[in-house]
């Protein structure tokens, strides 16, 4: 039901908003339109996953993984596939552009992709914490500043002794630590596997990757089995360069296999970040990356818009759940622990999430992406550009 409400909300926005209509790319404008559509399902899947966790929290007081394999996996598998998308897109660009890859544009685009929306969300968290605490300092100003700095680096320490501050956003920023590690390690991996010239360079780059893993992991507790999901995307980047595999990936049989495998992952496994489910999810993703629309499910206009706003959906849904399920019942006479009330609030949240995400994409994310492109162009005017590669900020 939640997916249906989200898709209907997205369709209505497309129907009545000329601005959104103009913004949504035609499938022919995107080389990987199916992947773009997949993002919409994944981001909303994480929302459903955290809504199930919230139901458990309201009754037990503990943030535990849902007992249902489906509700556990719809979040975990979605994150694994998100990591595969990252690995696929950027390793694919490296394979295509080789030494012409514009690393400066890549770095700038990533900053302007992650932070324009994250900074206002972080401000909302800080304001919420101090508002609840009556604007009193329980830690020293220096300690609070240190906590805020950690949040700027996608850590989630308690702010001003507010317990489980990260719970205000469902702790979603843990994935951004993995994304940042992948971005920082990508040039080193490129030098090892694509640009290698001699064994000394390879050895130094491998040492650099290990050092980077230790440094980033010290803050973000990076786990190797989660990082393995990026390899699924790398594998798909090679898959789509094999015409025979792409041709098979677009067949009806491949689509049926992808759907069956996806159902198996969602219903038979409790974890996604393990060898067997990752292999299965890699197969599913490779078929989607080949251009299979899963019988039209990935190219619906409403789903493609949900894919366009997927970063907003992913980043903002935790805060919306916190407001609707934990704060709203404090000021209105109803109990979110009641099944009917919870379902009504969840339904309303589904619609609100798509509407709010559409607004934040249009007025925060998109201007941020454009600002990144302008910054790249400004930098190129100041320094000789080696190539135009990596100009997209996606």
């Amino acid at each position: 039901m939640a997916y249906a409400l989200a898709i209907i909300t997205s369709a209505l926005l497309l129907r009545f908003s000329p601005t959104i209509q103009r913004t949504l790319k035609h499938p022919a404008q995107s080389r990987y339109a199916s992947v773009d559509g997949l993002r919409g399902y994944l981001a909303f899947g994480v929302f459903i996953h955290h809504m199930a966790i919230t139901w458990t929290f309201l009754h037990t007081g503990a943030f535990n993984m849902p007992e249902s394999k489906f509700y556990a996996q719809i979040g975990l598998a979605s994150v694994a596939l998100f990591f595969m998308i990252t690995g696929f897109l950027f390793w694919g660009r490296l394979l295509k552009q080789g030494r012409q890859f514009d690393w400066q544009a890549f770095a700038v685009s990533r900053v302007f992709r992650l932070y324009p929306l994250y900074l206002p969300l972080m401000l909302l968290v800080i304001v919420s914490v101090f508002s609840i605490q009556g604007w009193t300092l329980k830690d020293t100003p220096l300690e609070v500043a240190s906590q805020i700095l950690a949040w700027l680096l996608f850590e989630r320490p308690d702010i001003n002794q507010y317990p489980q501050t990260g719970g205000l956003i469902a702790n979603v920023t843990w994935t951004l630590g993995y994304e940042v590690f992948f971005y920082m390690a990508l040039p080193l991996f490129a030098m090892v596997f694509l640009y290698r010239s001699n064994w000394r360079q390879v050895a130094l780059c491998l040492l650099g990757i290990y050092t980077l893993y230790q440094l980033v992991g010290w803050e973000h507790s990076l786990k190797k089995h989660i990082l393995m999901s990026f390899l699924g995307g790398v594998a798909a980047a090679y898959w789509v360069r094999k015409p025979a595999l792409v041709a098979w990936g677009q067949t009806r049989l491949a689509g049926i296999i992808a759907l069956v495998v996806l159902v198996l992952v969602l219903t038979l496994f409790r974890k996604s970040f393990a060898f067997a489910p990752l292999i299965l999810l890699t197969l599913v993703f490779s078929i989607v990356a080949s251009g299979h629309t899963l019988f039209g499910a990935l190219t619906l206009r409403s789903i493609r818009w949900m894919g366009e706003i997927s970063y907003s959906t992913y980043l903002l849904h935790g805060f919306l759940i916190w407001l609707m399920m934990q704060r709203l019942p404090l000021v209105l006479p109803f109990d979110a622990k009641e099944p009917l009330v919870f379902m009504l609030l969840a339904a309303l949240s589904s619609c609100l999430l798509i509407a709010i995400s559409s607004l934040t994409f249009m007025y925060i994310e998109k201007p941020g992406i454009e600002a990144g492109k302008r910054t790249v162009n400004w930098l190129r005017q100041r320094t000789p550009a080696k190539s135009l590669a990596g100009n997209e900020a996606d």
Side-chain angles (χ1 to χ4, degrees), residues 69-141:
K69 291 178 181 177
F70 174 81
Y71 284 115
Q73 283 290 68
I74 200 170
L76 297 175
S78 292
V79 170
L81 286 165
F82 264 130
F83 287 156
M84 288 184 190
I85 291 173
T86 296
F88 170 73
L89 292 177
F90 291 111
W91 197 257
R93 288 186 192 179
L94 275 172
L95 290 175
K96 180 181 178 181
Q97 298 167 1
R99 292 182 181 275
Q100 299 304 308
F101 191 90
D102 191 336
W103 292 104
Q104 178 178 263
F106 169 72
V108 171
S109 72
R110 293 304 88 201
V111 171
F112 279 88
R113 191 68 185 91
L114 294 180
Y115 277 101
L117 182 62
Y118 178 68
L119 292 177
L121 175 63
M122 196 178 82
L123 181 61
L124 280 176
V125 170
I126 295 169
V127 170
S128 298
V129 165
F130 279 97
S131 176
I132 292 170
Q133 294 178 327
W135 304 98
T136 59
L137 273 176
K138 297 187 177 182
D139 286 328
T140 66

Side-chain angles (χ1 to χ4, degrees), residues 248-260 287 292 294-295:
W248 178 83
Q250 295 175 350
T251 63
R252 180 180 180 85
L253 175 61
I256 293 172
I257 289 173
L259 290 174
V260 170
I287 291 170
H292 205 296
L294 299 186
F295 308 102

Side-chain angles (χ1 to χ4, degrees), residues 284-303:
V284 172
F285 179 69
S286 297
I287 291 170
V288 171
S290 297
H292 205 296
T293 67
L294 299 186
F295 308 102
L298 299 179
T299 51
L300 294 169
R301 292 179 74 242
S302 52
I303 287 298

